[in-house]
mmCIF file of all heavy atoms in Angstrom:
data_model
loop_
_atom_site.group_PDB
_atom_site.id
_atom_site.type_symbol
_atom_site.label_atom_id
_atom_site.label_comp_id
_atom_site.label_asym_id
_atom_site.label_seq_id
_atom_site.Cartn_x
_atom_site.Cartn_y
_atom_site.Cartn_z
ATOM 1 N N TYR N 5 8.703 15.852 -14.442
ATOM 2 C CA TYR N 5 8.696 14.531 -13.819
ATOM 3 C C TYR N 5 7.716 14.486 -12.653
ATOM 4 O O TYR N 5 6.913 13.559 -12.513
ATOM 5 C CB TYR N 5 10.115 14.208 -13.347
ATOM 6 C CG TYR N 5 10.216 13.045 -12.424
ATOM 7 C CD1 TYR N 5 10.039 11.751 -12.910
ATOM 8 C CD2 TYR N 5 10.482 13.233 -11.081
ATOM 9 C CE1 TYR N 5 10.129 10.677 -12.065
ATOM 10 C CE2 TYR N 5 10.575 12.165 -10.231
ATOM 11 C CZ TYR N 5 10.394 10.892 -10.723
ATOM 12 O OH TYR N 5 10.479 9.829 -9.886
ATOM 13 N N LEU N 7 5.172 16.448 -12.117
ATOM 14 C CA LEU N 7 3.804 16.607 -12.595
ATOM 15 C C LEU N 7 3.260 15.276 -13.122
ATOM 16 O O LEU N 7 2.124 14.896 -12.826
ATOM 17 C CB LEU N 7 3.782 17.670 -13.703
ATOM 18 C CG LEU N 7 2.421 18.283 -13.969
ATOM 19 C CD1 LEU N 7 2.016 19.149 -12.806
ATOM 20 C CD2 LEU N 7 2.454 19.090 -15.244
ATOM 21 N N TYR N 14 -3.011 10.516 -9.246
ATOM 22 C CA TYR N 14 -4.431 10.882 -9.231
ATOM 23 C C TYR N 14 -5.253 9.865 -10.004
ATOM 24 O O TYR N 14 -6.306 9.429 -9.546
ATOM 25 C CB TYR N 14 -4.642 12.265 -9.872
ATOM 26 C CG TYR N 14 -4.081 13.407 -9.086
ATOM 27 C CD1 TYR N 14 -3.747 14.595 -9.703
ATOM 28 C CD2 TYR N 14 -3.886 13.292 -7.710
ATOM 29 C CE1 TYR N 14 -3.235 15.648 -8.985
ATOM 30 C CE2 TYR N 14 -3.369 14.347 -6.995
ATOM 31 C CZ TYR N 14 -3.036 15.516 -7.626
ATOM 32 O OH TYR N 14 -2.525 16.545 -6.914
ATOM 33 N N THR N 17 -5.587 6.753 -7.992
ATOM 34 C CA THR N 17 -6.488 6.925 -6.852
ATOM 35 C C THR N 17 -7.947 6.860 -7.290
ATOM 36 O O THR N 17 -8.771 6.217 -6.643
ATOM 37 C CB THR N 17 -6.211 8.261 -6.157
ATOM 38 O OG1 THR N 17 -4.817 8.404 -5.978
ATOM 39 C CG2 THR N 17 -6.884 8.334 -4.823
ATOM 40 N N LEU N 19 -9.105 5.447 -10.001
ATOM 41 C CA LEU N 19 -9.387 4.095 -10.459
ATOM 42 C C LEU N 19 -9.703 3.206 -9.262
ATOM 43 O O LEU N 19 -10.665 2.422 -9.280
ATOM 44 C CB LEU N 19 -8.166 3.552 -11.200
ATOM 45 C CG LEU N 19 -8.439 2.514 -12.268
ATOM 46 C CD1 LEU N 19 -9.308 3.096 -13.351
ATOM 47 C CD2 LEU N 19 -7.135 2.042 -12.868
ATOM 48 N N TYR N 22 -13.180 3.971 -7.919
ATOM 49 C CA TYR N 22 -14.306 3.488 -8.707
ATOM 50 C C TYR N 22 -14.418 1.973 -8.694
ATOM 51 O O TYR N 22 -15.530 1.449 -8.720
ATOM 52 C CB TYR N 22 -14.240 4.012 -10.147
ATOM 53 C CG TYR N 22 -14.765 5.409 -10.217
ATOM 54 C CD1 TYR N 22 -13.936 6.485 -10.495
ATOM 55 C CD2 TYR N 22 -16.106 5.659 -9.941
ATOM 56 C CE1 TYR N 22 -14.417 7.770 -10.501
ATOM 57 C CE2 TYR N 22 -16.597 6.946 -9.941
ATOM 58 C CZ TYR N 22 -15.751 7.992 -10.223
ATOM 59 O OH TYR N 22 -16.245 9.258 -10.214
ATOM 60 N N VAL N 41 8.029 -4.595 -13.572
ATOM 61 C CA VAL N 41 9.323 -4.686 -12.915
ATOM 62 C C VAL N 41 10.324 -5.523 -13.713
ATOM 63 O O VAL N 41 11.524 -5.305 -13.634
ATOM 64 C CB VAL N 41 9.133 -5.218 -11.475
ATOM 65 C CG1 VAL N 41 9.346 -6.702 -11.385
ATOM 66 C CG2 VAL N 41 10.046 -4.492 -10.515
ATOM 67 N N CYS N 58 1.379 1.917 -9.409
ATOM 68 C CA CYS N 58 1.069 0.688 -8.658
ATOM 69 C C CYS N 58 0.939 0.952 -7.168
ATOM 70 O O CYS N 58 0.065 0.400 -6.508
ATOM 71 C CB CYS N 58 2.145 -0.362 -8.909
ATOM 72 S SG CYS N 58 2.072 -1.012 -10.549
ATOM 73 N N CYS N 60 0.143 3.738 -5.567
ATOM 74 C CA CYS N 60 -1.047 4.488 -5.191
ATOM 75 C C CYS N 60 -2.304 3.681 -5.451
ATOM 76 O O CYS N 60 -3.335 3.909 -4.838
ATOM 77 C CB CYS N 60 -1.123 5.798 -5.958
ATOM 78 S SG CYS N 60 -0.156 7.076 -5.198
ATOM 79 N N GLN N 77 -15.436 -8.500 14.630
ATOM 80 C CA GLN N 77 -16.540 -9.446 14.521
ATOM 81 C C GLN N 77 -16.203 -10.808 15.121
ATOM 82 O O GLN N 77 -17.069 -11.659 15.267
ATOM 83 C CB GLN N 77 -16.937 -9.623 13.049
ATOM 84 C CG GLN N 77 -17.644 -8.395 12.493
ATOM 85 C CD GLN N 77 -17.631 -8.350 10.988
ATOM 86 O OE1 GLN N 77 -16.978 -9.158 10.343
ATOM 87 N NE2 GLN N 77 -18.355 -7.401 10.419
ATOM 88 N N PHE N 84 -7.131 -15.386 9.652
ATOM 89 C CA PHE N 84 -5.895 -16.097 9.345
ATOM 90 C C PHE N 84 -5.890 -16.574 7.898
ATOM 91 O O PHE N 84 -4.900 -16.397 7.171
ATOM 92 C CB PHE N 84 -5.765 -17.281 10.308
ATOM 93 C CG PHE N 84 -4.495 -18.043 10.163
ATOM 94 C CD1 PHE N 84 -3.309 -17.528 10.653
ATOM 95 C CD2 PHE N 84 -4.488 -19.272 9.531
ATOM 96 C CE1 PHE N 84 -2.141 -18.224 10.512
ATOM 97 C CE2 PHE N 84 -3.315 -19.973 9.383
ATOM 98 C CZ PHE N 84 -2.145 -19.447 9.876
ATOM 99 N N VAL N 89 -4.173 -16.309 2.269
ATOM 100 C CA VAL N 89 -4.641 -16.515 0.896
ATOM 101 C C VAL N 89 -4.312 -15.298 0.045
ATOM 102 O O VAL N 89 -3.793 -15.424 -1.063
ATOM 103 C CB VAL N 89 -6.159 -16.810 0.879
ATOM 104 C CG1 VAL N 89 -6.736 -16.624 -0.504
ATOM 105 C CG2 VAL N 89 -6.414 -18.217 1.353
ATOM 106 N N GLY N 101 2.670 -12.359 -13.914
ATOM 107 C CA GLY N 101 2.925 -11.104 -14.616
ATOM 108 C C GLY N 101 4.375 -10.972 -15.029
ATOM 109 O O GLY N 101 4.692 -10.542 -16.135
ATOM 110 N N ARG N 106 8.258 -11.242 -19.624
ATOM 111 C CA ARG N 106 9.497 -11.757 -20.231
ATOM 112 C C ARG N 106 9.229 -12.446 -21.555
ATOM 113 O O ARG N 106 10.018 -12.347 -22.485
ATOM 114 C CB ARG N 106 10.129 -12.788 -19.277
ATOM 115 C CG ARG N 106 10.741 -12.158 -18.083
ATOM 116 C CD ARG N 106 12.148 -12.662 -17.919
ATOM 117 N NE ARG N 106 12.859 -11.782 -17.039
ATOM 118 C CZ ARG N 106 13.656 -12.210 -16.064
ATOM 119 N NH1 ARG N 106 13.823 -13.488 -15.868
ATOM 120 N NH2 ARG N 106 14.279 -11.346 -15.314
#
Side-chain angles (χ1 to χ4, degrees):
Chain N
Y5 167 72
L7 200 70
Y14 292 156
T17 313
L19 208 61
Y22 279 112
V41 96
C58 289
C60 277
Q77 288 161 352
F84 184 75
V89 163
R106 287 231 163 136

